Amino acid sequence: MQPINIIERIVNAPTGSALAEAMQQRAEILRLSQASHDAVVVPKEPGDLSHGERAALAERITKLNGADELAEHYRACLENAGADETLLAIADPARDVDAGVRMNAIVRFTDLVTVRPREATRSDLEALKTVGMSDADIVRLTELLAFVNYQLRVVAGFKLAGSVR
């Protein structure tokens, strides 16, 4: 038996339900989503965006969206990566963050893309370069942001489908 993936665990569709059947029909998408999670949250080559920073940013995104169960998952990832006070502050949108020029810019960009994505412009990407992020690390960051926001919507969609009777 395959281990349950994060989306399946959080949605927790009752065995034999229409929702469980719908999820089973999308098993390949769920498997690929899990592989994407692993690739962007705990990649073998994290570049200049550590596993802890990635987990903190992912937790922040889920909290900005009020997704407590996913936030708990990313908190566990953060603790696994070795959470320190700075990373805990980054993870919590209710806290003021002063994590240095580079990370403050990353947090601002994360919040913008998560809360007001239509307002993001090329100048926001240029601001990341200004604080020393390489093109490759900007791509890594945007992959993380895109994936976690996608994951939020997939979970919300399945939960909504499960609540319709």
Side-chain angles (χ1 to χ4, degrees), residues 51 62 114 127 134 149 162:
H51 291 157
T62 58
T114 299
S134 68
N149 281 290

PDB file of all heavy atoms in Angstrom, residues 51 62 114 127 134 149 162:
ATOM      1  N   HIS A  51      15.850  24.644   3.157  1.00  0.00           N
ATOM      2  CA  HIS A  51      14.630  23.895   3.458  1.00  0.00           C
ATOM      3  C   HIS A  51      13.816  24.607   4.540  1.00  0.00           C
ATOM      4  O   HIS A  51      12.598  24.652   4.464  1.00  0.00           O
ATOM      5  CB  HIS A  51      14.966  22.470   3.898  1.00  0.00           C
ATOM      6  CG  HIS A  51      15.505  21.621   2.791  1.00  0.00           C
ATOM      7  ND1 HIS A  51      16.282  20.523   3.018  1.00  0.00           N
ATOM      8  CD2 HIS A  51      15.398  21.707   1.442  1.00  0.00           C
ATOM      9  CE1 HIS A  51      16.611  19.961   1.872  1.00  0.00           C
ATOM     10  NE2 HIS A  51      16.098  20.671   0.889  1.00  0.00           N
ATOM     11  N   THR A  62       0.055  29.443   3.759  1.00  0.00           N
ATOM     12  CA  THR A  62      -1.145  28.732   4.210  1.00  0.00           C
ATOM     13  C   THR A  62      -1.867  29.528   5.291  1.00  0.00           C
ATOM     14  O   THR A  62      -3.100  29.563   5.322  1.00  0.00           O
ATOM     15  CB  THR A  62      -0.814  27.313   4.713  1.00  0.00           C
ATOM     16  OG1 THR A  62       0.137  27.390   5.777  1.00  0.00           O
ATOM     17  CG2 THR A  62      -0.265  26.451   3.584  1.00  0.00           C
ATOM     18  N   THR A 114       0.862  35.970  -3.021  1.00  0.00           N
ATOM     19  CA  THR A 114      -0.186  35.175  -2.387  1.00  0.00           C
ATOM     20  C   THR A 114      -1.491  35.948  -2.231  1.00  0.00           C
ATOM     21  O   THR A 114      -2.570  35.418  -2.502  1.00  0.00           O
ATOM     22  CB  THR A 114       0.286  34.681  -1.005  1.00  0.00           C
ATOM     23  OG1 THR A 114       1.446  33.861  -1.200  1.00  0.00           O
ATOM     24  CG2 THR A 114      -0.780  33.875  -0.292  1.00  0.00           C
ATOM     25  N   ALA A 127      13.340  43.595  -7.704  1.00  0.00           N
ATOM     26  CA  ALA A 127      13.672  43.888  -6.300  1.00  0.00           C
ATOM     27  C   ALA A 127      14.366  42.694  -5.658  1.00  0.00           C
ATOM     28  O   ALA A 127      15.249  42.868  -4.805  1.00  0.00           O
ATOM     29  CB  ALA A 127      12.413  44.263  -5.529  1.00  0.00           C
ATOM     30  N   SER A 134      19.774  35.187  -7.180  1.00  0.00           N
ATOM     31  CA  SER A 134      20.091  34.806  -8.558  1.00  0.00           C
ATOM     32  C   SER A 134      18.801  34.472  -9.302  1.00  0.00           C
ATOM     33  O   SER A 134      17.762  34.222  -8.692  1.00  0.00           O
ATOM     34  CB  SER A 134      21.011  33.584  -8.559  1.00  0.00           C
ATOM     35  OG  SER A 134      20.298  32.445  -8.080  1.00  0.00           O
ATOM     36  N   ASN A 149       0.287  27.670  -3.386  1.00  0.00           N
ATOM     37  CA  ASN A 149      -1.006  28.273  -3.720  1.00  0.00           C
ATOM     38  C   ASN A 149      -1.874  27.305  -4.521  1.00  0.00           C
ATOM     39  O   ASN A 149      -3.085  27.237  -4.315  1.00  0.00           O
ATOM     40  CB  ASN A 149      -0.801  29.611  -4.432  1.00  0.00           C
ATOM     41  CG  ASN A 149      -0.482  30.718  -3.440  1.00  0.00           C
ATOM     42  OD1 ASN A 149      -1.341  31.129  -2.674  1.00  0.00           O
ATOM     43  ND2 ASN A 149       0.758  31.176  -3.433  1.00  0.00           N
ATOM     44  N   GLY A 162     -16.579  17.603  -1.225  1.00  0.00           N
ATOM     45  CA  GLY A 162     -16.994  16.661  -0.198  1.00  0.00           C
ATOM     46  C   GLY A 162     -18.133  17.176   0.671  1.00  0.00           C
ATOM     47  O   GLY A 162     -18.860  16.390   1.271  1.00  0.00           O
TER      48      GLY A 162
END
